[in-house]
Amino acid sequence: MTPSRRIPNINTTPLEIRPEFQFAISVDCVIFGYDDDVLKVLLIKCDLPEFKGKWSLLGDLLLPEEDLDAASYRVLRERTGLENVFLEQVHTFGDVKRHPSGRVVTTVYFSLLNVRDHQLKQLDNELHWHPVLEVTDMAFDHKKILDTCYKTLQKKVQEEPIIFNLMENKFSLRELQNIYEAILNIRLDRRNFRKKLFTTSLLTDLDEFEKDVPHRPGKLYSFNHERYAKIRRKTFVGIDF
Amino acid sequence: MTPSRRIPNINTTPLEIRPEFQFAISVDCVIFGYDDDVLKVLLIKCDLPEFKGKWSLLGDLLLPEEDLDAASYRVLRERTGLENVFLEQVHTFGDVKRHPSGRVVTTVYFSLLNVRDHQLKQLDNELHWHPVLEVTDMAFDHKKILDTCYKTLQKKVQEEPIIFNLMENKFSLRELQNIYEAILNIRLDRRNFRKKLFTTSLLTDLDEFEKDVPHRPGKLYSFNHERYAKIRRKTFVGIDF
DNA sequence: GCAAAAGTGTTCACATTACACCCATGG
DNA sequence: CCATGGGTGTAATGTGAACACTTTTGC
């Protein structure tokens, strides 16, 4: 019921920003990987007395002269040693009491990486890959954050070819299908899956085959990024709810 | 290349949050309305010397004891007098230099409301509805923010029945189609549109008709929220990119 | 009776689903 | 030769797109 006349405002009026209106900001990274036929998430042990022994996401405080996106890349780099990895903002969590040390608003990013690339750098005992479906309680509001990011991932793998970030450059269709099934937590028909993927014309047939498998080796493919850049839909139209 | 061993961290170690690691946080609301056959956005004149006379979003600083979502509801309430309006977080913008008064990280929400409900409260001369497609330059990074929210809106109206937030309770199919066309900025086939909407079985036929139109009056419908709550898809599956 | 929009069905192309058998390899 | 997954095609069904004429009202 406040009348809207002339409310002083950060967007309309030069305003001195006083200390009591300042907050800590963190970024948290939900880092997904695929290993052992299971979708996993990279977590770290929490030492805060309130959450002793629980697992938490990888995050850090935003630095004074650092863009928000840059902070998330920094966390990812510091923890995995990897650069040029898929990383995208998901949501910001800003409840007053979400962090016991004080008010911390956190912007959450999710990342997809190939576990094989990362293994070399995984020196820290406190860092572990956890099957996403088996993670139960976590420190802070991190379970809620993980759930949000998992849903975002499930939605997004169906809309954009981001799943290839989880895989080796060369893969068989079975591997690709396995990852979809692990992420979506459903079973897909093998023939229809292959047909569908081929009609995208985004797979390059490498004329190579799997090795050392105890059955008929599957053909290997790679994802054709150049072609996707060309043919990707600009705007999709179709009301559907 | 930083090794990942034992980096002190907001999530793992109790950490005193020092003032130099604190920032102003704002919320900005991108408030969409539909009027005069055009999708509009509610903007306010900016008085900062750097952006004299430019238009900006409605926003304010986060308060110390206020949840982030609550802040966005407060801004919406203060500016429109409306409660219980569709409001959803979109993205957080945190570049170092995005605000000339200092470091301000902003979390952006988008809102859909019925312009008719709002008109009674619109007392402030500095507040105006602008056709979304005609907004060019804005203060701060607000044009980028508006573009992001507009794209989110375009995507989301196709996935969820949020468009009804922009409309009167009773509407004709022509009005509904007009709003879709205005938002998506395309033309839709009238027969196919009607067919599609009827097959959702989410429209209640009110057995009433438009009045005072200079042509054959159309039937009026309302959106069946209860039914949608029941039949809404939990998980959609269909790889498509 | 004219202007303006409401209301209505069919056809075609394409996408999705369900479903079963033979093949190539390692052991 | 056996176990394991690789590779393949078709029929039925459902969905999206294109398209034109009659009806009802206000003026």
Side-chain angles (χ1 to χ4, degrees):
Chain A
M1 287 302 138
T2 317
S4 55
R5 178 170 294 279
R6 291 286 173 184
I7 303 165
N9 178 301
I10 185 74
N11 286 341
T12 54
T13 318
L15 211 63
E16 188 198 352
I17 299 164
R18 290 175 303 175
E20 60 267 34
F21 289 90
Q22 305 224 86
F23 310 88
I25 299 179
S26 67
V27 293
D28 282 302
C29 292
V30 176
I31 301 171
F32 291 109
Y34 177 78
D35 192 28
D36 210 12
D37 289 338
V38 172
L39 181 69
K40 296 190 177 174
V41 59
L42 191 59
L43 302 179
I44 192 166
K45 269 243 180 72
C46 178
D47 291 333
L48 272 75
E50 294 90 344
F51 300 118
K52 197 69 190 169
K54 298 209 176 188
W55 295 94
S56 78
L57 300 170
L58 305 179
D60 200 7
L61 289 174
L62 178 65
L63 303 178
E65 296 297 321
E66 185 180 45
D67 288 350
L68 194 60
D69 289 349
S72 66
Y73 279 106
R74 173 171 55 82
V75 167
L76 192 65
R77 192 179 343 104
E78 284 176 356
R79 292 299 182 177
T80 66
L82 295 173
E83 312 244 13
N84 302 319
V85 163
F86 175 90
L87 184 65
E88 203 173 281
Q89 194 191 113
V90 175
H91 197 83
T92 297
F93 295 82
D95 280 3
V96 173
K97 296 177 307 187
R98 57 170 297 282
H99 199 295
S101 306
R103 185 83 194 263
V104 181
V105 172
T106 193
T107 299
V108 175
Y109 290 75
F110 87 115
S111 174
L112 303 179
L113 55 80
N114 181 347
V115 171
R116 296 279 165 82
D117 294 342
H118 169 249
Q119 273 172 343
L120 306 169
K121 308 281 177 180
Q122 192 179 329
L123 306 165
D124 191 327
N125 284 339
E126 303 295 307
L127 265 185
H128 282 286
W129 288 103
H130 297 255
V132 170
L133 294 174
E134 293 172 17
V135 175
T136 51
D137 63 349
M138 295 178 69
F140 314 100
D141 52 357
H142 286 189
K143 182 60 164 66
K144 184 170 118 190
I145 292 176
L146 174 59
D147 289 346
T148 301
C149 288
Y150 181 40
K151 283 194 195 97
T152 300
L153 172 63
Q154 289 185 312
K155 186 152 184 284
K156 207 130 188 165
V157 289
Q158 301 184 56
E159 296 174 347
E160 292 170 46
I162 59 174
I163 204 167
F164 301 99
N165 291 293
L166 291 167
M167 310 177 62
E168 305 283 338
N169 277 342
K170 302 177 180 185
F171 51 84
S172 69
L173 281 172
R174 161 60 60 187
E175 289 175 283
L176 185 56
Q177 185 177 342
N178 282 346
I179 303 194
Y180 272 110
E181 291 182 341
I183 292 175
L184 299 176
N185 203 23
I186 55 169
R187 305 285 307 170
L188 299 168
D189 180 273
R190 200 163 96 255
R191 276 177 291 189
N192 293 338
F193 178 80
R194 300 168 75 88
K195 217 184 308 171
K196 178 74 193 176
L197 267 288
F198 285 139
T199 56
T200 65
S201 70
L202 291 171
L203 299 185
T204 304
D205 183 338
L206 296 174
D207 267 315
E208 292 178 59
F209 292 86
E210 292 178 292
K211 290 195 174 98
D212 302 317
V213 287
H215 55 77
R216 176 174 173 180
K219 253 196 176 180
L220 296 179
Y221 298 86
S222 66
F223 179 71
N224 192 335
H225 291 89
E226 301 72 34
R227 184 164 172 81
Y228 178 66
K230 271 189 200 154
I231 70 172
R232 72 187 294 178
R233 260 201 293 277
K234 286 89 194 131
T235 51
F236 173 73
V237 178
I239 298 162
D240 200 12
F241 46 77
Chain B
M1 288 302 138
T2 316
S4 55
R5 178 172 293 281
R6 291 283 173 185
I7 304 166
N9 179 300
I10 185 75
N11 286 342
T12 53
T13 317
L15 211 63
E16 189 199 350
I17 299 165
R18 291 175 302 173
E20 61 266 35
F21 288 91
Q22 306 225 89
F23 310 89
I25 298 180
S26 67
V27 293
D28 282 302
C29 292
V30 176
I31 302 171
F32 291 109
Y34 177 78
D35 192 27
D36 210 12
D37 289 338
V38 171
L39 181 69
K40 297 191 177 173
V41 59
L42 192 58
L43 302 179
I44 192 167
K45 270 243 178 72
C46 179
D47 291 333
L48 273 74
E50 294 88 345
F51 299 118
K52 196 71 190 169
K54 299 211 174 185
W55 295 94
S56 78
L57 300 170
L58 304 180
D60 200 10
L61 289 174
L62 177 66
L63 301 179
E65 296 298 321
E66 186 180 43
D67 288 349
L68 194 60
D69 289 349
S72 66
Y73 279 107
R74 174 171 55 81
V75 168
L76 191 65
R77 192 178 344 102
E78 283 176 356
R79 293 298 180 175
T80 66
L82 296 173
E83 312 244 13
N84 301 319
V85 163
F86 175 90
L87 184 65
E88 203 174 282
Q89 193 191 114
V90 175
H91 196 84
T92 297
F93 295 81
D95 280 2
V96 173
K97 296 177 305 184
R98 59 169 296 282
H99 199 295
S101 305
R103 183 84 194 260
V104 182
V105 172
T106 193
T107 298
V108 176
Y109 290 74
F110 86 114
S111 174
L112 303 179
L113 54 80
N114 181 346
V115 171
R116 297 279 165 82
D117 293 342
H118 170 250
Q119 272 170 344
L120 306 168
K121 308 280 177 181
Q122 193 180 327
L123 307 165
D124 190 328
N125 283 338
E126 304 294 307
L127 264 183
H128 283 286
W129 288 103
H130 297 254
V132 170
L133 293 175
E134 293 172 17
V135 175
T136 50
D137 64 348
M138 296 178 69
F140 314 101
D141 51 357
H142 286 189
K143 181 60 164 66
K144 184 169 117 189
I145 292 176
L146 173 59
D147 290 345
T148 301
C149 288
Y150 181 40
K151 283 194 194 98
T152 300
L153 172 63
Q154 289 186 313
K155 185 151 186 283
K156 207 132 188 164
V157 289
Q158 300 184 57
E159 296 175 348
E160 292 170 45
I162 59 173
I163 205 166
F164 301 100
N165 291 293
L166 292 167
M167 311 178 62
E168 306 283 339
N169 277 341
K170 302 176 180 185
F171 50 85
S172 68
L173 280 173
R174 163 59 60 186
E175 289 175 283
L176 185 56
Q177 185 178 340
N178 281 347
I179 303 195
Y180 272 110
E181 290 182 342
I183 292 175
L184 299 177
N185 202 23
I186 54 169
R187 305 285 308 169
L188 298 168
D189 179 273
R190 202 164 93 255
R191 277 176 290 190
N192 293 337
F193 178 80
R194 300 168 77 88
K195 219 183 307 169
K196 178 75 193 178
L197 268 287
F198 285 138
T199 57
T200 65
S201 71
L202 292 171
L203 299 185
T204 304
D205 182 338
L206 296 173
D207 266 316
E208 292 179 60
F209 292 85
E210 291 178 291
K211 289 193 174 100
D212 302 317
V213 287
H215 55 78
R216 175 175 175 180
K219 254 196 176 180
L220 295 178
Y221 298 86
S222 67
F223 179 70
N224 192 335
H225 292 88
E226 302 71 34
R227 186 166 169 81
Y228 178 65
K230 272 188 200 153
I231 69 173
R232 71 187 296 178
R233 258 201 294 277
K234 287 89 195 133
T235 51
F236 174 72
V237 178
I239 298 162
D240 200 13
F241 45 76

